[in-house]
Amino acid sequence: MADILPFRQPKAGEKHRGNTLCRNGHHKWMIDKERVFDTRQGKLVTRLRCRRCNAVKTRLL
């Protein structure tokens, strides 16, 4: 006979784990180590990346 695998729907909390904070604007910004500094219009800027959703933003120093 065949093996019967248990099947259950993932809960909403499990399905969206880690994404709800970023969707509400609560990112966890960290400095991007690959490109630490960038220049934009002659100004020095730092590139930041969110640990959870990989969104990117730049900040002037």
Side-chain angles (χ1 to χ4, degrees):
M1 287 189 63
D3 293 332
I4 298 174
L5 300 173
F7 176 76
R8 68 173 181 87
Q9 295 269 340
K11 294 181 181 178
E14 295 172 357
K15 186 177 178 183
H16 299 291
R17 169 164 257 136
N19 293 331
T20 55
L21 287 172
C22 292
R23 277 189 296 193
N24 291 322
H26 300 285
H27 294 278
K28 196 168 194 172
W29 298 113
M30 297 195 66
I31 296 174
D32 191 4
K33 297 291 184 181
E34 294 175 10
R35 291 184 61 189
V36 179
F37 295 108
D38 192 14
T39 56
R40 181 182 296 170
Q41 297 175 355
K43 298 177 182 176
L44 195 62
V45 295
T46 303
R47 186 174 178 191
L48 301 169
R49 182 176 297 274
C50 179
R51 274 178 50 180
R52 294 186 206 107
C53 67
N54 290 326
V56 176
K57 83 173 184 179
T58 56
R59 184 177 66 185
L60 288 172
L61 286 178

